[in-house]
Amino acid sequence: MSDPHEIDPDYSKHGGFPDFEAATPGPGFGRFLTAMRRAQDLAVSANPDSDTWIEAAQLAERLVALLDPFEAAEGVGPANRVPSEPGSGSLLMPPYRVHKFDAEAVELTVTFSRYHVGGNYAVHGGVLPLMFDSSFGMVIHATGKPISRTGFLHVDYRKITPIDIPLTLRAWVREEQGRKSFVNAELRDPEGNLLAEANGLMIMLLPGQP
């Protein structure tokens, strides 16, 4: 991976993006993520009695009160900055693990859960663009290109995407035209069946563009 500053001397001036570096928040953060992911699943699937909902609300409110004084700016908190954790430590993303990260392609495994269900135990169609868009950003970073934003993202759904099964996502740059990078990605199940594929446009930001 090349240094994007060599391609674009104004790299650091693009839209005020923080300089993301890996964070080391300690083992408690990993435990927290695991518990929170399970809490997300239960938040959309549990059906307890009224008293249990009241107790759960009180516990959630205590958690908010505990963490609220420590809210930090983007690029300061550990979320999305811990590569050793699934989803790089971001609860926004489905838990994924990157296995290949270079100029040729980015490859990762991702497992969707009950939290991501849209209906009939299939992954919600709106969740897949989120995962594809994230992979496009990884490709831009892996190829050493300067900071870019998504110009468009098109998704074709080929089969139902299941939950609780490790799936493989591969993304790569198909073509480059100046500031434009045309990218592709595909999601497959363990048998190699194509579940969904995407193509999109990533546009390099100019200095000052947010």
Side-chain angles (χ1 to χ4, degrees), residues 6-95:
E6 297 177 358
I7 302 173
D8 180 12
D10 292 319
Y11 178 83
S12 61
K13 300 178 182 178
H14 291 288
F17 277 77
D19 188 9
F20 287 98
E21 296 181 350
T24 54
F29 182 66
R31 289 177 56 196
F32 172 77
L33 287 175
T34 299
M36 286 297 294
R37 290 195 188 280
R38 182 57 183 155
Q40 288 181 154
D41 287 337
L42 291 171
V44 299
S45 62
N47 186 32
D49 55 48
S50 179
D51 288 343
T52 302
W53 277 127
I54 292 174
E55 183 179 357
Q58 292 171 340
L59 290 171
E61 289 163 357
R62 286 177 56 192
L63 177 60
V64 170
L66 174 67
L67 295 178
D68 195 59
F70 301 98
E71 185 174 1
E74 182 184 12
V76 177
N80 207 37
R81 298 199 301 125
V82 189
S84 61
E85 294 292 343
S88 290
S90 173
L91 287 173
L92 174 66
M93 302 304 304

Side-chain angles (χ1 to χ4, degrees), residues 79-161:
N80 207 37
R81 298 199 301 125
V82 189
S84 61
E85 294 292 343
S88 290
S90 173
L91 287 173
L92 174 66
M93 302 304 304
Y96 64 80
R97 297 274 190 189
V98 177
H99 303 289
K100 178 180 173 65
F101 189 87
D102 57 35
E104 179 187 22
V106 169
E107 296 180 1
L108 54 89
T109 54
V110 57
T111 303
F112 300 98
S113 65
R114 187 70 182 272
Y115 181 66
H116 307 108
V117 167
N120 202 22
Y121 290 93
V123 174
H124 193 294
V127 174
L128 297 187
L130 171 66
M131 193 65 240
F132 281 132
D133 194 35
S134 182
S135 73
F136 289 168
M138 294 182 208
V139 167
I140 293 299
H141 186 51
T143 54
K145 293 180 174 59
I147 294 173
S148 303
R149 281 201 182 274
T150 307
F152 68 76
L153 171 64
H154 176 87
V155 178
D156 289 306
Y157 302 92
R158 303 304 185 187
K159 289 180 177 292
I160 297 298
T161 300

Side-chain angles (χ1 to χ4, degrees), residues 147-181:
I147 294 173
S148 303
R149 281 201 182 274
T150 307
F152 68 76
L153 171 64
H154 176 87
V155 178
D156 289 306
Y157 302 92
R158 303 304 185 187
K159 289 180 177 292
I160 297 298
T161 300
I163 63 171
D164 300 327
I165 296 175
L167 308 174
T168 300
L169 190 152
R170 184 175 189 270
W172 66 95
V173 174
R174 183 183 75 252
E175 181 183 355
E176 298 179 29
Q177 296 179 7
R179 293 169 53 212
K180 300 179 179 179
S181 294

